[in-house]
């Protein structure tokens, strides 16, 4: 069997600090005998400074050969004056496009000890564990034609196109059904089929795919209702499947139910299960270089990578258990510490690593 390959892309701001903690954990797994190879490459502002482009060819080639990419964060004031195509964020978008990462997975899990950070009452979010599967490379954000037309009856008019073809819908639906099979076999597809033809097609195709997964209980919900239900009765959901724009909004709502942005992992996958794994947060320039960032979002992104792209289910479970245990023991970085004593990024990484080692 070939070694599994992980490429680390630390990026900017707190990116290098948080990915360093995930690297420690991968080293522990390698010492245990898991056949994993790692490499590190430049992206974002760090790549602009060193090679003049946010996504160097060398980085792209390494990523194409990897099973999983662990991305930190990109961006910062220093590069804000650059035009959009040359800014750090273009590195991430270029990577998503080149690797065809069409399925974005955003778990929202509430750790009971951190329930104070949730925007909702404890009884509504206790044991919350939702997974949002968002289509990432199509829909309204990418549909053509698009633009701002100069003179339409004497004024300017902006327009975008909301399109999905059957293939785009079917492949992301399959990802959501597969993930439902690994969880509670309950899937809710969110659309606006009462108004938008494109989502009527979405509903039809999701129903078709459902016949391949008879064990999964499928429901459909309009997006306005889904937004209400997420904040009134979030625990009714297990896996939510939706398009690009609705997913963008709903996943941020779900994120807030769990509290700190420093705890939220994500994954973007293509049909070969190759994935880009990253914390939901950005480069946090306000705390960069101060050993204050919470590395848990990145560490949980690594556990998603182990499970989904490296087929290492057991180490992934152990890593998630280690995170839970360290939180149970009361260790907190500043963002989740409330008034209590906070530990730094490295210490949090060390505690989780030691806990993993002990298991
Ligand atoms: P941000 O997520 O970087 O920070 C928002 C707030 O959350 C800040 O107060 C920050 O200190 C805090 N925070 C973020 N991550 C944290 C962590 N792990 N631990 C503790 N606190 C954390 O968002 P922003 O301030 O809007 O953006 C800062 C920069 O990041 C910008 O240049 C933006 O373009 C970029 N950005 C990058 C990505 C990405 O790389 N995927 C995503 C969002 C924003």
């Amino acid at each position: 069997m070939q070694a599994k390959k992980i490429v680390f892309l630390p990026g900017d701001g707190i990116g290098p600090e948080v990915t360093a903690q995930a690297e420690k954990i991968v080293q522990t797994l390698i010492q245990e005998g898991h056949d994993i190879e790692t490499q590190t490459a430049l992206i974002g502002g760090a790549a602009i400074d060193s090679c003049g482009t946010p996504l160097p060819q060398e980085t792209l080639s390494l990523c194409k050969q990897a099973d999983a990419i662990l991305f930190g964060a990109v961006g910062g004031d220093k590069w804000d004056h650059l035009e959009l195509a040359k800014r750090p964020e273009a590195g991430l978008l270029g990577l998503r496009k080149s690797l065809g990462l069409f399925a974005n997975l955003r778990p929202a899990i509430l750790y009971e000890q951190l329930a104070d950070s949730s925007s909702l009452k404890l009884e509504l979010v206790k044991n919350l564990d939702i997974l949002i599967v968002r289509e990432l490379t199509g829909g309204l954000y990418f549909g053509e034609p698009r633009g701002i037309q100069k003179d339409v009856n004497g004024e300017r008019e902006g327009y975008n196109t909301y399109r999905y073809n059957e293939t785009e819908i079917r492949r992301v639906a399959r990802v959501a059904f597969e993930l439902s099979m690994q969880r509670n076999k309950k899937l809710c597809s969110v659309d606006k089929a009462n108004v938008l033809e494109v989502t009527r097609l979405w509903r039809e195709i999701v129903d078709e795919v459902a016949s391949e997964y008879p064990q999964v209980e499928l429901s459909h919900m309009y997006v306005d209702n889904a937004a209400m239900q997420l904040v009134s009765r979030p625990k009714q959901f297990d896996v939510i499947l939706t398009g690009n724009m609705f997913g963008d909004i709903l996943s941020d709502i779900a994120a807030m139910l769990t509290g700190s942005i420093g705890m939220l992992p994500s994954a973007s996958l293509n049909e070969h299960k190759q994935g880009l794994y990253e914390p939901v947060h950005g480069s946090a320039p306000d705390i960069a270089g101060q050993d204050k960032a919470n590395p848990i979002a990145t560490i949980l992104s690594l556990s998603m990578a182990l499970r989904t792209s490296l087929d290492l289910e057991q180490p992934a479970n152990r890593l998630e258990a280690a995170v839970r245990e360290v939180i149970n023991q009361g260790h907190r970085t500043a963002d989740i510490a409330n008034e209590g004593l906070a530990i730094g990024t490295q210490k949090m990484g060390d505690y989780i690593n030691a806990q993993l080692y002990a298991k």
Side-chain angles (χ1 to χ4, degrees):
M1 270 244 295
Q2 260 196 334
K4 302 283 184 184
K5 292 195 179 82
I6 303 183
V7 171
F8 286 94
L9 301 179
D12 311 316
I14 60 169
E17 297 170 61
V18 291
T19 47
Q21 309 317 308
E23 283 197 64
K24 279 185 205 166
I25 287 162
V26 172
Q27 288 312 321
T28 298
L29 295 174
I30 292 172
Q31 278 165 26
E32 282 179 353
H34 291 287
D35 199 5
I36 305 172
E37 276 173 15
T38 67
Q39 271 170 310
T40 301
L42 290 167
I43 193 142
I48 294 171
D49 288 353
S50 159
C51 340
T53 167
L55 180 57
Q57 197 51 49
E58 196 188 331
T59 299
L60 185 57
S61 316
L62 275 180
C63 290
K64 281 186 172 163
Q65 291 157 31
D67 296 291
I69 299 148
L70 200 82
F71 177 95
V74 293
D77 292 351
K78 186 176 173 192
W79 305 282
D80 276 353
H81 65 282
L82 297 171
E83 62 178 279
L84 276 183
K86 294 189 172 152
R87 282 168 63 144
E89 294 79 0
L92 179 58
L93 296 177
L95 208 49
R96 281 183 186 158
K97 195 162 170 226
S98 307
L99 299 179
L101 303 170
F102 63 84
N104 183 233
L105 278 46
R106 290 258 306 252
I109 297 170
L110 188 91
Y111 291 84
E112 203 174 329
Q113 297 76 8
L114 303 180
D116 285 352
S117 328
S118 173
S119 54
L120 296 187
K121 292 186 214 108
L122 177 62
E123 69 258 30
L124 291 178
V125 287
K126 196 173 173 192
N127 301 324
L128 183 80
D129 184 350
I130 300 177
L131 177 64
I132 299 196
V133 179
R134 164 189 171 195
E135 201 290 328
L136 198 60
T137 51
L140 191 62
Y141 293 176
F142 291 92
E144 297 282 350
R146 60 193 295 160
I148 300 176
Q149 217 161 327
K150 277 223 171 82
D151 186 6
V152 181
N153 301 324
E155 59 181 349
R156 286 182 301 161
E157 185 179 88
Y159 58 99
N160 289 86
T161 306
Y162 193 175
R163 276 174 195 272
Y164 271 121
N165 63 34
E166 295 183 26
T167 307
E168 288 171 312
I169 302 167
R170 194 166 283 119
R171 65 186 185 180
V172 73
R174 286 218 170 93
V175 171
F177 276 100
E178 290 289 334
L179 290 162
S180 301
M181 289 293 290
Q182 293 167 15
R183 295 171 50 106
N184 292 327
K185 302 190 176 63
K186 227 178 111 192
L187 174 63
C188 178
S189 173
V190 171
D191 60 39
K192 190 71 184 170
N194 51 342
V195 179
L196 299 169
E197 284 80 358
V198 48
T199 69
R200 237 172 38 222
L201 179 67
W202 177 280
R203 195 176 276 219
E204 260 177 48
I205 301 295
V206 172
D207 278 335
E208 266 178 46
V209 177
S211 63
E212 297 166 27
Y213 300 89
Q215 303 95 321
V216 176
E217 181 195 322
L218 171 68
S219 61
H220 297 280
M221 196 179 277
Y222 296 139
V223 63
D224 40 348
N225 187 22
M228 277 198 295
Q229 297 295 327
L230 263 177
V231 292
S232 57
R233 282 199 318 117
K235 282 194 282 183
Q236 70 184 281
F237 297 109
D238 188 52
V239 179
I240 294 178
L241 163 68
T242 190
N244 202 342
M245 178 181 56
F246 297 158
D248 191 4
I249 300 164
L250 295 181
S251 56
D252 273 7
I253 297 178
M256 274 305 96
L257 304 180
T258 68
S260 170
I261 190 162
M263 302 286 297
L264 296 166
S266 78
S268 303
L269 306 177
N270 64 21
E271 57 257 72
H272 312 296
K273 287 205 304 187
Q274 187 187 28
L276 174 79
Y277 297 84
E278 55 175 322
V280 165
H281 60 71
S283 59
D286 52 331
I287 55 167
Q290 298 171 37
D291 194 39
K292 281 188 182 161
N294 186 346
I296 293 181
T298 309
I299 290 172
L300 292 175
S301 300
L302 171 65
S303 84
M304 291 179 83
L306 295 174
R307 176 176 296 115
T308 309
S309 292
L310 274 66
D311 287 324
L312 293 174
E313 174 80 26
Q314 210 235 357
N317 291 341
R318 277 170 54 214
L319 181 53
E320 283 159 16
V323 168
R324 240 171 236 286
E325 205 135 320
V326 167
I327 292 171
N328 273 341
Q329 289 165 0
H331 301 300
R332 306 275 188 273
T333 43
D335 56 314
I336 49 173
N338 286 331
E339 306 293 281
L341 206 57
I343 59 171
T345 311
Q346 295 190 44
K347 222 169 200 143
M348 182 57 99
D350 287 342
Y351 281 143
I352 294 170
N353 197 22
Q355 196 61 47
L356 179 73
Y357 212 66
K359 281 183 180 291

